[in-house]
Amino acid sequence: DTLVLQCLVTGHPRPQVRWTKTAGSASDKFQETSVFNETLRIEKIQRLQGGRYYCKAENGVGVPAIRSIRVDVQYLDEPVLTVHQTISDVRGSFYQEKTVFLRCTVNSNPPARFIWRRGSETLSHSQDNGVDIYEPLYTQGETKVLKLKNLRPQDYASYTCQVSVRNVCGIPDKSITFELTNTTAPPSLKLSVNETLVVNPGDNVTIQCSLTGGDPLPQVVWSHSPSPMPHNSLIQGGNLTIWNIRVEDSGYYNCTAINNVGNPAKKTVNLLVRSMRNATFQITPDVIKESETIQLGQDLKLSCHVDAVPQEKVFYFWYKNGKLAKLSDRLVIIRNDPELPPVTSSLEIIDLRFTDYGTYLLPPTIMVPKGQSTITVREGSRAELQCEVRGKPKPPIIWSRVDKEAPMPSGAMTVETSDGKLHLERVAREMSGTYKCQTARYNGFNIRAREALVQLNVQCKYSHRISLLPTTM
């Protein structure tokens, strides 16, 4: 409905009127209208917009005048009917008793009245000793349970839960029906793959989620966490297919079957797309921090780590001057050094000798080319941000946003580039801001990452011109 509240105000000078809600602060729900009008109007009011509204008038003379009114938004949702069955042994399993609980839940304002029917017959405690109707203590009026004790043949029937707010504000009654049979059963599932599935980027992946039980026939749905289902996926029945899978499509895929009997059945697949990025290379002791040269006769450790999926499947191979390093008593490989990140490979050179020489290293530096610290482009066009890096070997560049808690345009929080150039296609105004480029820990020096800043300004696609024309009276 449309809510219209009017505040009739008198006073001299004419008072200023302000509407607030509940705690006296301006409500977020007023964004579509002015809070300073004498009339407050809310189109298509929602249930969360109910509450106490305050009209405050002040003109600087005396104390402000305040009046309030409570707005009660009334509604009745569709009820949800779930069925739970319990089987218990009686007298040492000579026979079994089955008890069925039909649980009807609804959201409403004011609280709904519940009516249970078997077929066309209205059920109550007094009419049938095999029936118990009660409200759970913790549900605050939105749930009614129909208990069928020690199920009898006549209890296999059609049950209806009818909910009513007694036609308040013209809201009609609503109902839901369940057919209880001797085959009624909760859903069960099986998957065509293991709980963890590792695939290569670019693969087409199909996961079959098959029903193995459930009456009535369950509905099968797929979901993905933490993000929505990828756009390159298709669901057909219980089958999920993802074409040309990407690293960002990794995550937990949930297949859920629901038929409102018992609890939903759920199977989860942890889908991992193989990847390797952010290679880092470290020397111990650090020649920059601890000394300017590496002394003969000392021990030296070279450590290599890469962020990978799955991490535990990474294998490292050490080369010296392009050839596979030959291990010996002086050349030892250490895996999972406790002082380093998990799954890191270290090559320890004991009693360093002149023959151990190899590629020399230069610490990295980074800078923004002259005239490139501020980039201005028009909305919808292409932008290129650039940082120059030096070092031997030359490390990759990691880009991120500085002034906004927002991901990069690609959706990731950071983007790694090998040439120091960040390419942005079809830039939008929300891409404006400061971008940071920094060196990845790659070329062996255990020093703080070098960084630089680039400012991106995005101009509006269209500009408007306003002219004032003189008029004659």
Side-chain angles (χ1 to χ4, degrees), residues 11 14 19 35 43 79 85 94 140 155 158 163 183 194 197 211-212 216 248 257 297 325 341 394 400 420-421 432-433:
R14 183 171 181 81
W19 284 96
V35 298
E43 304 277 353
Q85 302 177 107
F94 283 105
Q140 299 179 351
D155 292 326
S158 177
V163 293
T183 60
N194 295 328
L197 179 62
L211 287 170
T212 58
E248 54 265 35
K394 186 162 67 172
S400 60
K421 295 180 181 179
S432 297

Side-chain angles (χ1 to χ4, degrees), residues 359-364 390-395 443 445:
T359 302
Y360 288 90
L361 301 163
L362 295 175
R390 296 177 182 175
K392 188 174 183 180
K394 186 162 67 172
N443 79 339
F445 292 94

Side-chain angles (χ1 to χ4, degrees), residues 116 118 121-134 146-147 149 152:
W116 282 102
R118 179 197 286 127
E121 172 195 8
T122 301
L123 296 175
S124 65
H125 297 285
S126 58
Q127 291 180 339
D128 192 333
N129 292 329
V131 170
D132 190 10
I133 300 174
Y134 63 94
L146 172 64
K147 179 180 179 182
K149 300 176 287 186
R152 305 159 299 182

Side-chain angles (χ1 to χ4, degrees), residues 375-388:
I375 303 296
T376 302
V377 296
R378 178 157 295 187
E379 186 178 20
S381 62
R382 184 176 180 271
E384 180 182 278
L385 311 185
Q386 183 175 357
C387 285
E388 291 182 349

Side-chain angles (χ1 to χ4, degrees), residues 33-144:
T33 183
S34 172
V35 298
F36 294 101
N37 287 341
E38 294 183 5
T39 300
L40 172 66
R41 182 182 181 91
I42 301 178
E43 304 277 353
K44 296 182 179 179
I45 192 167
Q46 303 299 308
R47 63 187 65 177
L48 294 179
Q49 292 174 280
R52 183 163 293 277
Y53 287 80
Y54 294 84
C55 172
K56 179 180 180 181
E58 56 185 338
N59 62 359
V61 180
V63 297
I66 301 176
R67 292 290 183 271
S68 69
I69 185 172
R70 177 166 181 81
V71 175
D72 195 27
V73 182
Q74 298 175 324
Y75 56 90
L76 177 64
D77 289 346
E78 294 290 336
V80 176
L81 179 58
T82 55
V83 179
H84 297 267
Q85 302 177 107
T86 63
I87 299 176
S88 58
D89 291 333
V90 178
R91 295 179 184 176
S93 72
F94 283 105
Y95 66 95
Q96 292 180 329
E97 287 184 353
K98 179 185 287 189
T99 300
V100 172
F101 301 84
L102 290 90
R103 180 187 180 96
C104 187
T105 303
V106 71
N107 294 317
S108 68
N109 180 36
R113 179 179 61 183
F114 292 80
I115 299 175
W116 282 102
R117 290 192 175 90
R118 179 197 286 127
S120 59
E121 172 195 8
T122 301
L123 296 175
S124 65
H125 297 285
S126 58
Q127 291 180 339
D128 192 333
N129 292 329
V131 170
D132 190 10
I133 300 174
Y134 63 94
E135 176 183 323
L137 294 176
Y138 55 87
T139 57
Q140 299 179 351
E142 73 271 12
T143 300
K144 274 288 192 297

Side-chain angles (χ1 to χ4, degrees), residues 224 228-234 241-244 246 248-249 253:
H224 180 220
M229 295 291 290
H231 64 82
N232 51 324
S233 64
L234 176 66
T241 301
I242 306 174
W243 286 283
N244 194 23
R246 307 160 299 171
E248 54 265 35
D249 297 330
Y253 288 83

Side-chain angles (χ1 to χ4, degrees), residues 234-285:
L234 176 66
I235 299 173
Q236 291 180 313
N239 294 342
L240 168 65
T241 301
I242 306 174
W243 286 283
N244 194 23
I245 197 164
R246 307 160 299 171
V247 172
E248 54 265 35
D249 297 330
S250 297
Y252 290 93
Y253 288 83
N254 309 302
C255 175
T256 306
I258 302 172
N259 68 350
N260 289 346
V261 179
N263 296 317
K266 183 177 179 181
K267 295 288 185 180
T268 300
V269 178
N270 184 13
L271 185 57
L272 302 176
V273 182
R274 290 186 178 93
S275 66
M276 289 198 299
R277 59 188 181 89
N278 295 340
T280 57
F281 184 40
Q282 180 176 329
I283 298 176
T284 307

